[in-house]
PDB file of all heavy atoms in Angstrom:
ATOM      1  N   LEU A1455     -11.585  13.828  17.218  1.00 96.00           N
ATOM      2  CA  LEU A1455     -11.772  15.276  17.137  1.00 96.00           C
ATOM      3  C   LEU A1455     -12.144  15.870  18.496  1.00 96.00           C
ATOM      4  O   LEU A1455     -12.458  17.058  18.585  1.00 96.00           O
ATOM      5  CB  LEU A1455     -12.855  15.623  16.108  1.00 96.00           C
ATOM      6  CG  LEU A1455     -12.734  14.952  14.736  1.00 96.00           C
ATOM      7  CD1 LEU A1455     -13.846  15.422  13.813  1.00 96.00           C
ATOM      8  CD2 LEU A1455     -11.374  15.218  14.114  1.00 96.00           C
ATOM      9  N   ALA A1456     -12.096  15.059  19.538  1.00 94.00           N
ATOM     10  CA  ALA A1456     -12.449  15.501  20.893  1.00 94.00           C
ATOM     11  C   ALA A1456     -13.847  16.113  20.919  1.00 94.00           C
ATOM     12  O   ALA A1456     -14.079  17.168  21.511  1.00 94.00           O
ATOM     13  CB  ALA A1456     -11.415  16.486  21.438  1.00 94.00           C
ATOM     14  N   LYS A1457     -14.785  15.439  20.240  1.00 91.00           N
ATOM     15  CA  LYS A1457     -16.161  15.922  20.125  1.00 91.00           C
ATOM     16  C   LYS A1457     -16.203  17.349  19.584  1.00 91.00           C
ATOM     17  O   LYS A1457     -17.039  18.163  19.980  1.00 91.00           O
ATOM     18  CB  LYS A1457     -16.886  15.831  21.467  1.00 91.00           C
ATOM     19  CG  LYS A1457     -17.315  14.413  21.816  1.00 91.00           C
ATOM     20  CD  LYS A1457     -18.388  14.393  22.878  1.00 91.00           C
ATOM     21  CE  LYS A1457     -18.999  12.987  23.010  1.00 91.00           C
ATOM     22  NZ  LYS A1457     -20.043  12.921  24.031  1.00 91.00           N
ATOM     23  N   GLY A1458     -15.276  17.647  18.677  1.00 92.00           N
ATOM     24  CA  GLY A1458     -15.250  18.944  18.019  1.00 92.00           C
ATOM     25  C   GLY A1458     -14.424  20.001  18.726  1.00 92.00           C
ATOM     26  O   GLY A1458     -14.119  21.057  18.150  1.00 92.00           O
ATOM     27  N   GLN A1459     -14.007  19.731  19.959  1.00 92.00           N
ATOM     28  CA  GLN A1459     -13.272  20.742  20.713  1.00 92.00           C
ATOM     29  C   GLN A1459     -11.892  21.029  20.119  1.00 92.00           C
ATOM     30  O   GLN A1459     -11.387  22.143  20.218  1.00 92.00           O
ATOM     31  CB  GLN A1459     -13.114  20.301  22.171  1.00 92.00           C
ATOM     32  CG  GLN A1459     -14.415  20.282  22.948  1.00 92.00           C
ATOM     33  CD  GLN A1459     -14.198  19.911  24.408  1.00 92.00           C
ATOM     34  OE1 GLN A1459     -13.180  19.325  24.763  1.00 92.00           O
ATOM     35  NE2 GLN A1459     -15.155  20.248  25.246  1.00 92.00           N
ATOM     36  N   ALA A1460     -11.298  20.009  19.474  1.00 93.00           N
ATOM     37  CA  ALA A1460      -9.954  20.210  18.921  1.00 93.00           C
ATOM     38  C   ALA A1460      -9.975  21.078  17.668  1.00 93.00           C
ATOM     39  O   ALA A1460      -8.932  21.628  17.282  1.00 93.00           O
ATOM     40  CB  ALA A1460      -9.313  18.866  18.597  1.00 93.00           C
ATOM     41  N   LEU A1461     -11.129  21.216  17.034  1.00 94.00           N
ATOM     42  CA  LEU A1461     -11.192  21.871  15.732  1.00 94.00           C
ATOM     43  C   LEU A1461     -10.968  23.375  15.796  1.00 94.00           C
ATOM     44  O   LEU A1461     -10.696  24.003  14.770  1.00 94.00           O
ATOM     45  CB  LEU A1461     -12.539  21.572  15.068  1.00 94.00           C
ATOM     46  CG  LEU A1461     -12.872  20.092  14.895  1.00 94.00           C
ATOM     47  CD1 LEU A1461     -14.184  19.922  14.164  1.00 94.00           C
ATOM     48  CD2 LEU A1461     -11.742  19.371  14.165  1.00 94.00           C
ATOM     49  N   SER A1462     -11.090  23.951  16.981  1.00 94.00           N
ATOM     50  CA  SER A1462     -10.876  25.392  17.115  1.00 94.00           C
ATOM     51  C   SER A1462      -9.595  25.740  17.861  1.00 94.00           C
ATOM     52  O   SER A1462      -9.338  26.906  18.148  1.00 94.00           O
ATOM     53  CB  SER A1462     -12.077  26.029  17.827  1.00 94.00           C
ATOM     54  OG  SER A1462     -12.259  25.459  19.116  1.00 94.00           O
ATOM     55  N   HIS A1463      -8.774  24.720  18.166  1.00 94.00           N
ATOM     56  CA  HIS A1463      -7.522  24.995  18.883  1.00 94.00           C
ATOM     57  C   HIS A1463      -6.548  25.716  17.960  1.00 94.00           C
ATOM     58  O   HIS A1463      -6.385  25.344  16.790  1.00 94.00           O
ATOM     59  CB  HIS A1463      -6.904  23.689  19.379  1.00 94.00           C
ATOM     60  CG  HIS A1463      -5.813  23.903  20.375  1.00 94.00           C
ATOM     61  ND1 HIS A1463      -4.537  24.264  20.002  1.00 94.00           N
ATOM     62  CD2 HIS A1463      -5.808  23.816  21.732  1.00 94.00           C
ATOM     63  CE1 HIS A1463      -3.784  24.378  21.083  1.00 94.00           C
ATOM     64  NE2 HIS A1463      -4.535  24.115  22.140  1.00 94.00           N
ATOM     65  N   PRO A1464      -5.879  26.780  18.445  1.00 94.00           N
ATOM     66  CA  PRO A1464      -4.974  27.568  17.595  1.00 94.00           C
ATOM     67  C   PRO A1464      -3.922  26.737  16.875  1.00 94.00           C
ATOM     68  O   PRO A1464      -3.644  26.973  15.691  1.00 94.00           O
ATOM     69  CB  PRO A1464      -4.336  28.549  18.578  1.00 94.00           C
ATOM     70  CG  PRO A1464      -5.353  28.707  19.659  1.00 94.00           C
ATOM     71  CD  PRO A1464      -6.001  27.363  19.803  1.00 94.00           C
ATOM     72  N   THR A1465      -3.332  25.758  17.536  1.00 94.00           N
ATOM     73  CA  THR A1465      -2.298  24.943  16.887  1.00 94.00           C
ATOM     74  C   THR A1465      -2.878  24.124  15.738  1.00 94.00           C
ATOM     75  O   THR A1465      -2.274  24.013  14.670  1.00 94.00           O
ATOM     76  CB  THR A1465      -1.634  24.003  17.913  1.00 94.00           C
ATOM     77  OG1 THR A1465      -1.034  24.791  18.947  1.00 94.00           O
ATOM     78  CG2 THR A1465      -0.568  23.139  17.248  1.00 94.00           C
ATOM     79  N   ILE A1466      -4.048  23.548  15.949  1.00 94.00           N
ATOM     80  CA  ILE A1466      -4.706  22.782  14.897  1.00 94.00           C
ATOM     81  C   ILE A1466      -5.057  23.693  13.727  1.00 94.00           C
ATOM     82  O   ILE A1466      -4.849  23.340  12.556  1.00 94.00           O
ATOM     83  CB  ILE A1466      -5.978  22.096  15.425  1.00 94.00           C
ATOM     84  CG1 ILE A1466      -5.638  21.129  16.570  1.00 94.00           C
ATOM     85  CG2 ILE A1466      -6.712  21.365  14.299  1.00 94.00           C
ATOM     86  CD1 ILE A1466      -4.789  19.956  16.180  1.00 94.00           C
ATOM     87  N   LEU A1467      -5.563  24.870  14.022  1.00 96.00           N
ATOM     88  CA  LEU A1467      -5.924  25.821  12.970  1.00 96.00           C
ATOM     89  C   LEU A1467      -4.697  26.265  12.182  1.00 96.00           C
ATOM     90  O   LEU A1467      -4.746  26.417  10.954  1.00 96.00           O
ATOM     91  CB  LEU A1467      -6.633  27.032  13.579  1.00 96.00           C
ATOM     92  CG  LEU A1467      -8.021  26.762  14.173  1.00 96.00           C
ATOM     93  CD1 LEU A1467      -8.544  27.998  14.895  1.00 96.00           C
ATOM     94  CD2 LEU A1467      -8.993  26.330  13.087  1.00 96.00           C
TER      95      LEU A1467
END
Side-chain angles (χ1 to χ4, degrees):
L1455 311 182
K1457 283 198 169 180
Q1459 291 183 340
L1461 304 183
S1462 59
H1463 193 281
T1465 300
I1466 300 295
L1467 292 173

